[in-house]
Amino acid sequence: MPRLKGNCANAYLFMQGVLDSSSTFISCCSLQLQLNREAPCHIHRIGRIIEAKMSAKYAFSQTLKEVRFLFCQTGESSVATRSFLTRAYPTMKKNNPQTPILLREAAGTLPRVFARYEFGQEKSADLSGLSDKQIEETVTGLVKGGV
Protein backbone atom coordinates (compact mmCIF):
# COMPACT_ATOMS: atom_id res chain seq x y z
CA MET A 1 0.00 0.00 0.00
CA PRO A 2 1.33 3.48 -0.76
CA ARG A 3 2.15 5.69 2.23
CA LEU A 4 -1.04 7.60 2.88
CA LYS A 5 -2.28 9.41 5.95
CA GLY A 6 -5.72 9.62 7.55
CA ASN A 7 -8.70 9.58 5.28
CA CYS A 8 -6.63 9.10 2.13
CA ALA A 9 -5.65 5.72 3.57
CA ASN A 10 -9.33 4.95 4.23
CA ALA A 11 -10.20 5.84 0.63
CA TYR A 12 -7.43 3.57 -0.63
CA LEU A 13 -8.58 0.67 1.58
CA PHE A 14 -12.19 1.22 0.43
CA MET A 15 -11.14 0.93 -3.22
CA GLN A 16 -9.12 -2.19 -2.45
CA GLY A 17 -12.17 -3.81 -0.81
CA VAL A 18 -10.77 -3.78 2.73
CA LEU A 19 -13.37 -1.28 3.96
CA ASP A 20 -16.98 -1.81 2.96
CA SER A 21 -19.37 0.74 1.45
CA SER A 22 -20.90 1.58 4.82
CA SER A 23 -17.56 2.92 6.06
CA THR A 24 -17.50 6.69 5.83
CA PHE A 25 -14.58 9.01 5.62
CA ILE A 26 -14.40 12.78 5.65
CA SER A 27 -12.28 14.46 3.02
CA CYS A 28 -8.94 15.48 4.44
CA CYS A 29 -8.34 17.19 1.12
CA SER A 30 -10.67 20.04 2.09
CA LEU A 31 -8.09 21.03 4.69
CA GLN A 32 -5.38 20.84 2.02
CA LEU A 33 -7.44 23.12 -0.19
CA GLN A 34 -7.77 25.69 2.58
CA LEU A 35 -4.08 25.63 3.51
CA ASN A 36 -2.21 24.99 0.27
CA ARG A 37 -4.86 25.54 -2.38
CA GLU A 38 -3.89 22.16 -3.85
CA ALA A 39 -6.36 19.99 -5.73
CA PRO A 40 -7.81 16.94 -3.93
CA CYS A 41 -5.79 13.77 -4.36
CA HIS A 42 -6.82 11.26 -7.03
CA ILE A 43 -7.83 8.70 -4.39
CA HIS A 44 -10.49 11.02 -3.01
CA ARG A 45 -11.79 11.82 -6.49
CA ILE A 46 -12.19 8.11 -7.22
CA GLY A 47 -13.75 7.51 -3.78
CA ARG A 48 -16.33 10.22 -4.44
CA ILE A 49 -17.19 8.72 -7.84
CA ILE A 50 -17.68 5.26 -6.29
CA GLU A 51 -19.83 6.73 -3.50
CA ALA A 52 -21.94 8.65 -6.02
CA LYS A 53 -22.50 5.50 -8.11
CA MET A 54 -23.60 3.53 -5.05
CA SER A 55 -25.97 6.33 -4.03
CA ALA A 56 -27.49 6.45 -7.50
CA LYS A 57 -27.99 2.69 -7.52
CA TYR A 58 -30.18 2.83 -4.42
CA ALA A 59 -32.04 6.06 -5.14
CA PHE A 60 -35.67 4.93 -5.12
CA SER A 61 -38.33 5.96 -7.60
CA GLN A 62 -40.62 8.80 -6.47
CA THR A 63 -43.66 6.53 -6.81
CA LEU A 64 -42.20 3.87 -4.49
CA LYS A 65 -43.90 3.93 -1.08
CA GLU A 66 -42.46 0.83 0.65
CA VAL A 67 -39.97 -2.01 0.17
CA ARG A 68 -40.56 -5.24 2.10
CA PHE A 69 -38.17 -8.20 2.37
CA LEU A 70 -39.42 -11.58 3.59
CA PHE A 71 -36.87 -14.25 4.47
CA CYS A 72 -35.95 -16.96 6.96
CA GLN A 73 -33.47 -16.07 9.68
CA THR A 74 -31.79 -19.50 9.55
CA GLY A 75 -32.73 -21.13 6.23
CA GLU A 76 -30.19 -21.96 3.53
CA SER A 77 -32.34 -20.41 0.81
CA SER A 78 -32.13 -17.02 2.57
CA VAL A 79 -28.35 -16.86 3.05
CA ALA A 80 -27.75 -14.60 0.02
CA THR A 81 -30.68 -12.37 0.99
CA ARG A 82 -29.34 -11.92 4.51
CA SER A 83 -25.86 -11.11 3.21
CA PHE A 84 -27.30 -8.63 0.67
CA LEU A 85 -29.32 -6.87 3.37
CA THR A 86 -26.36 -6.76 5.76
CA ARG A 87 -24.32 -5.06 3.06
CA ALA A 88 -26.89 -2.86 1.28
CA TYR A 89 -29.49 -1.89 3.90
CA PRO A 90 -27.44 0.98 5.45
CA THR A 91 -26.85 2.54 2.02
CA MET A 92 -30.48 2.14 0.95
CA LYS A 93 -31.74 3.69 4.19
CA LYS A 94 -29.21 6.51 4.09
CA ASN A 95 -30.26 7.48 0.56
CA ASN A 96 -34.01 7.05 1.17
CA PRO A 97 -34.72 8.00 4.79
CA GLN A 98 -38.44 8.66 4.20
CA THR A 99 -39.20 5.33 2.48
CA PRO A 100 -39.97 2.42 4.82
CA ILE A 101 -37.74 -0.62 4.24
CA LEU A 102 -39.28 -3.52 6.14
CA LEU A 103 -37.39 -6.70 7.03
CA ARG A 104 -39.68 -9.59 7.94
CA GLU A 105 -38.07 -12.74 9.28
CA ALA A 106 -40.16 -15.87 9.70
CA ALA A 107 -39.08 -19.49 10.06
CA GLY A 108 -39.40 -21.46 6.84
CA THR A 109 -40.21 -18.42 4.67
CA LEU A 110 -38.77 -18.37 1.17
CA PRO A 111 -36.97 -15.10 0.38
CA ARG A 112 -39.06 -12.54 -1.53
CA VAL A 113 -39.06 -8.80 -2.02
CA PHE A 114 -42.17 -6.66 -2.43
CA ALA A 115 -42.28 -3.09 -3.71
CA ARG A 116 -45.43 -1.06 -3.03
CA TYR A 117 -46.07 1.94 -5.24
CA GLU A 118 -48.66 4.72 -5.35
CA PHE A 119 -52.32 3.73 -5.36
CA GLY A 120 -51.55 0.44 -3.56
CA GLN A 121 -49.99 -1.29 -6.58
CA GLU A 122 -47.41 -3.97 -5.70
CA LYS A 123 -44.72 -5.90 -7.52
CA SER A 124 -42.82 -8.81 -6.03
CA ALA A 125 -39.86 -10.98 -6.96
CA ASP A 126 -38.69 -14.35 -5.70
CA LEU A 127 -35.12 -14.25 -4.36
CA SER A 128 -34.57 -17.98 -3.69
CA GLY A 129 -31.57 -19.46 -5.42
CA LEU A 130 -30.17 -16.06 -6.45
CA SER A 131 -26.68 -14.84 -5.66
CA ASP A 132 -25.97 -11.59 -3.83
CA LYS A 133 -25.31 -9.80 -7.15
CA GLN A 134 -28.52 -11.16 -8.75
CA ILE A 135 -30.51 -10.04 -5.71
CA GLU A 136 -28.99 -6.57 -6.05
CA GLU A 137 -30.04 -6.41 -9.71
CA THR A 138 -33.56 -7.63 -8.91
CA VAL A 139 -34.04 -5.14 -6.07
CA THR A 140 -32.60 -2.29 -8.14
CA GLY A 141 -35.07 -3.10 -10.92
CA LEU A 142 -37.99 -3.02 -8.49
CA VAL A 143 -37.05 0.20 -6.70
CA LYS A 144 -36.09 2.11 -9.85
CA GLY A 145 -39.04 1.06 -11.97
CA GLY A 146 -42.56 2.10 -11.36
CA VAL A 147 -45.84 0.42 -12.09
Side-chain angles (χ1 to χ4, degrees):
M1 178 173 124
R3 293 191 59 158
L4 300 170
K5 289 185 178 181
N7 293 318
C8 288
N10 288 346
Y12 181 81
L13 293 172
F14 171 71
M15 291 185 311
Q16 298 303 314
V18 177
L19 294 178
D20 64 359
S21 61
S22 63
S23 300
T24 56
F25 45 89
I26 300 167
S27 175
C28 63
C29 294
S30 61
L31 183 60
Q32 273 184 333
L33 285 171
Q34 291 171 2
L35 298 177
N36 304 358
R37 304 242 183 257
E38 294 177 17
C41 66
H42 69 282
I43 291 176
H44 271 90
R45 282 190 215 122
I46 293 170
R48 287 183 193 128
I49 291 169
I50 292 170
E51 205 170 278
K53 284 183 179 179
M54 289 187 68
S55 296
K57 185 186 299 185
Y58 295 120
F60 293 171
S61 160
Q62 292 297 318
T63 60
L64 185 70
K65 298 301 176 195
E66 173 186 282
V67 180
R68 190 170 60 249
F69 291 92
L70 276 67
F71 57 98
C72 178
Q73 61 268 49
T74 57
E76 283 297 315
S77 62
S78 296
V79 170
T81 304
R82 289 192 306 269
S83 96
F84 166 76
L85 289 170
T86 302
R87 178 179 58 81
Y89 177 83
T91 308
M92 285 191 290
K93 197 59 186 171
K94 177 183 169 191
N95 293 316
N96 308 283
Q98 301 303 321
T99 306
I101 303 172
L102 308 173
L103 308 178
R104 301 288 184 239
E105 297 177 322
T109 302
L110 293 176
R112 294 189 65 78
V113 61
F114 293 86
R116 187 173 54 82
Y117 303 94
E118 289 179 330
F119 309 114
Q121 303 234 351
E122 275 195 6
K123 284 186 183 178
S124 69
D126 185 24
L127 303 177
S128 10
L130 299 180
S131 69
D132 189 284
K133 186 71 175 167
Q134 291 169 322
I135 291 173
E136 183 174 13
E137 292 167 3
T138 303
V139 170
T140 302
L142 279 175
V143 299
K144 289 267 190 207
V147 231

